[in-house]
Amino acid sequence: MGIGIDEHSLPPRRHRRATSTARSTLPLCALYCVLSSVSVHRSYAFSPSSVAIHPTSLPYQNGGDPFTQALDGTSSSLARQRTTSDTFETWGKMRLGLGDGPGSNNEGVFWVGGGYLYEAHSGKELAVFEGFDIGKGVRLSDNHIRQISRKIFWFRDPITGEIMEDFEGKEVKPIVYDSQMIDYFRADDSITYSVEASLRNLKGELPKMKITSQMVGPRQMMIQVPVFIDVEIPGRGKYQAWEFYDYSVDPSFPADRPPTASWCRQGSVPPFNMDSKAVLRFSGYRCDRFEDLPDRMKEEVVRNHPHFVSPPEDEKEVEGVLGKFDDR
């Protein structure tokens, strides 16, 4: 999961150490479904390493909610219980490769894809948006896991496909988060999260939100992560944004059906938009090796961001980049 935020909008994080010079001046959106087909000059970079089998959509039955009806046609509590997996364990394995068996990867996993930056209301495409997150998990207890990750995204010209360097005379840079740390906690009926370390000190600044899940039949878990940002900026006033991350995963983690994600956000995206109305839409999928990323992403990483071939090693590396943080 990525927490989107306008780096220029929030008070800077106070560090006890020097911070990395590689940070972006743009907001991070995050991340993390196979990219829908568009014209060649827009999306030729994206193609998963294997063809995913898309889940069959479930129609409404007698006015009922399809998210609570099993594929066998019954909506009884017993049937739903039979198709329910442990959301906390599934989340850790899906999002971070944490655990054992199919779906696990202790070296870390990539969430990669792309989408578009739109002008609000008109729907005008301002830029192609693409990139990835690379992260791994640390189990701190049965009910507490930690994400250690980094992420990078580029804005490309919607016509030429080239990485943008300016927009209407203003500099455009890639979104670069060299390190980030997010904690997840098992709750009674959901998962809660806390941003422990990032480019900005968001600990305690975000509304308390829950990560929720729903089984749709025995082989599809849907997971939603909401993020709402409502903070006061000294000298500027209120900064607001919202995001939703929607994941889909088969809890048995078959090799030919990778987990997918779609994400949308509305908020400021400098220099394209500064009034919290720009719209970002992203779709992506999980892969487990840097070699499986789209070629043009790999080339850009090797050329300019070589440490993005793997996640941060541990909390000490995060601390080295971001400074001291509260380890709670």
Side-chain angles (χ1 to χ4, degrees), residues 3-166:
I3 301 299
I5 196 67
D6 180 346
E7 296 179 25
H8 292 310
S9 300
L10 293 182
R13 174 185 174 90
R14 295 181 179 177
H15 302 308
R16 300 180 189 174
R17 298 187 182 182
T19 57
S20 169
T21 60
R23 298 174 193 161
S24 166
T25 59
L26 296 178
L28 180 66
C29 344
L31 8 92
Y32 287 171
C33 79
V34 176
L35 185 71
S36 53
S37 298
V38 294
S39 55
V40 172
H41 69 267
R42 291 175 177 172
S43 67
Y44 55 80
F46 308 110
S47 58
S49 55
S50 60
V51 178
I53 301 173
H54 297 287
T56 302
S57 59
L58 185 67
Y60 286 90
Q61 299 177 8
N62 299 321
D65 183 351
F67 297 109
T68 61
Q69 293 173 338
L71 290 179
D72 60 7
T74 177
S75 59
S76 69
S77 297
L78 180 59
R80 289 200 297 273
Q81 290 171 7
R82 288 173 180 161
T83 62
T84 299
S85 297
D86 186 324
T87 301
F88 189 73
E89 296 301 321
T90 300
W91 170 258
K93 179 175 285 191
M94 177 200 75
R95 181 63 184 83
L96 302 168
L98 193 63
D100 300 308
S104 63
N105 187 342
N106 293 330
E107 299 300 316
V109 300
F110 293 85
W111 285 88
V112 59
Y116 299 91
L117 170 66
Y118 299 96
E119 183 178 83
H121 310 305
S122 73
K124 179 182 178 181
E125 292 177 4
L126 301 177
V128 173
F129 178 71
E130 67 179 41
F132 65 88
D133 170 295
I134 169 63
K136 64 180 181 180
V138 178
R139 184 177 295 277
L140 302 179
S141 74
D142 289 344
N143 300 318
H144 183 188
I145 59 178
R146 173 164 289 173
Q147 170 182 321
I148 300 175
S149 61
R150 49 174 135 249
K151 44 197 173 183
I152 184 167
F153 298 88
W154 297 272
F155 294 96
R156 291 184 179 268
D157 187 284
I159 303 301
T160 68
E162 297 298 318
I163 292 178
M164 298 178 70
E165 297 183 352
D166 68 89

Side-chain angles (χ1 to χ4, degrees), residues 2 17 23 65 69 117 125 169 200 208 248 277 296 310 313 321:
R17 298 187 182 182
R23 298 174 193 161
D65 183 351
Q69 293 173 338
L117 170 66
E125 292 177 4
R200 297 300 181 203
K208 300 297 183 182
S248 182
K277 292 183 179 180
R296 71 181 186 183
S310 60
E313 182 64 28
V321 173

Side-chain angles (χ1 to χ4, degrees), residues 3-15 19-30 129 151-153 155 173-180 198-202 229 231-234 236 239-241 243 265 267-271 273-274 276 308 321-322:
I3 301 299
I5 196 67
D6 180 346
E7 296 179 25
H8 292 310
S9 300
L10 293 182
R13 174 185 174 90
R14 295 181 179 177
H15 302 308
T19 57
S20 169
T21 60
R23 298 174 193 161
S24 166
T25 59
L26 296 178
L28 180 66
C29 344
F129 178 71
K151 44 197 173 183
I152 184 167
F153 298 88
F155 294 96
K173 293 183 179 180
I175 295 170
V176 180
Y177 272 40
D178 287 305
S179 291
Q180 192 171 37
S198 189
L199 284 182
R200 297 300 181 203
N201 187 5
L202 299 180
I229 303 166
V231 295
E232 196 71 26
I233 309 301
R236 174 176 168 179
Y239 172 76
Q240 298 172 315
E243 303 179 352
R265 178 185 193 269
S268 296
V269 182
N273 176 276
M274 296 297 291
S276 297
F308 275 83
V321 173
L322 299 176

